[in-house]
Amino acid sequence: MRIEWMILFVVWLITLGLVFIIPKKKRRIAIVAFLFTQVITWLLGLVVVEYGLIAYPVRCFPTVNHTSFTYEFLSFPVLCGVFNAYYPHARSNMMRFLYFASFCTILTILEVIIEKYTDLIEYLHWSWYLTWISLFISFMLSRWFCVWFFKGIAKEMEE
């Protein structure tokens, strides 16, 4: 088995394991964030691949879609669900920014390592800072959407 397929398998296991760390009270928030993020990543992923900015040489369902199904439709949306479930809404603006920045930085570092040492992703006309910015915007949009969606249920967002 090639290293790329082993990495994809491990990513699937970790991602599915993350579902179980979401508190029961926050599952609705996580589900809304998951579904909303799938819309964002589907659109952004297709645009990035179709314009030749990024390529995914090794991917699940290669005849169906040129994007990374594992990342765009599973792992990143689940991470957005976890992100929103544990969001530190009662903390200072600096702590909230650091929360955003830490998620973006960790994911960007992992992507750069994967890009450099495997065939799972290939930057054609892309750079790490574009990844960081797109992650930040995606996390921000998912957070804003969750706040808007649960506006009438403010207690759920605060617990």
Side-chain angles (χ1 to χ4, degrees):
M1 180 182 288
R2 291 179 52 188
I3 188 74
E4 287 83 4
W5 290 106
M6 289 174 56
I7 291 170
L8 286 175
F9 180 73
V10 169
V11 167
W12 275 76
L13 287 178
I14 291 170
T15 301
L16 295 174
L18 285 175
V19 170
F20 295 105
I21 70 164
I22 298 170
K24 191 173 185 176
K25 291 181 179 181
K26 301 287 189 165
R27 286 190 186 144
R28 290 190 326 163
I29 293 169
I31 290 168
V32 168
F34 173 82
L35 294 172
F36 179 76
T37 305
Q38 280 188 327
V39 171
I40 294 171
T41 58
W42 177 71
L43 291 171
L44 186 62
L46 284 176
V47 167
V48 166
V49 167
E50 292 302 318
Y51 279 103
L53 304 174
I54 291 178
Y56 298 99
V58 176
R59 62 188 182 275
C60 298
F61 314 116
T63 58
V64 176
N65 198 338
H66 294 289
T67 64
S68 173
F69 178 84
T70 300
Y71 182 74
E72 310 285 351
F73 297 102
L74 180 69
S75 64
F76 184 62
V78 167
L79 283 170
C80 265
V82 171
F83 173 87
N84 280 285
Y86 287 99
Y87 185 78
H89 63 86
R91 305 293 298 264
S92 69
N93 286 338
M94 178 59 90
M95 288 304 294
R96 287 186 276 186
F97 174 77
L98 290 174
Y99 187 75
F100 272 94
S102 63
F103 268 80
C104 297
T105 302
I106 290 167
L107 289 174
T108 301
I109 289 170
L110 289 172
E111 183 175 288
V112 167
I113 291 169
I114 288 170
E115 193 272 334
K116 185 172 183 177
Y117 296 107
T118 72
D119 286 332
L120 287 173
I121 186 169
E122 183 180 343
Y123 289 170
L124 303 174
H125 302 287
W126 195 259
S127 188
W128 67 267
Y129 62 87
L130 294 172
T131 295
W132 197 94
I133 292 167
S134 66
L135 289 172
F136 193 90
I137 291 169
S138 297
F139 280 123
M140 187 179 302
L141 289 173
S142 76
R143 183 64 194 162
W144 286 346
F145 184 80
C146 284
V147 168
W148 170 80
F149 188 84
F150 290 103
K151 195 170 197 138
I153 313 171
K155 183 179 179 186
E156 181 165 348
M157 292 296 290
E158 295 172 3
E159 289 180 351

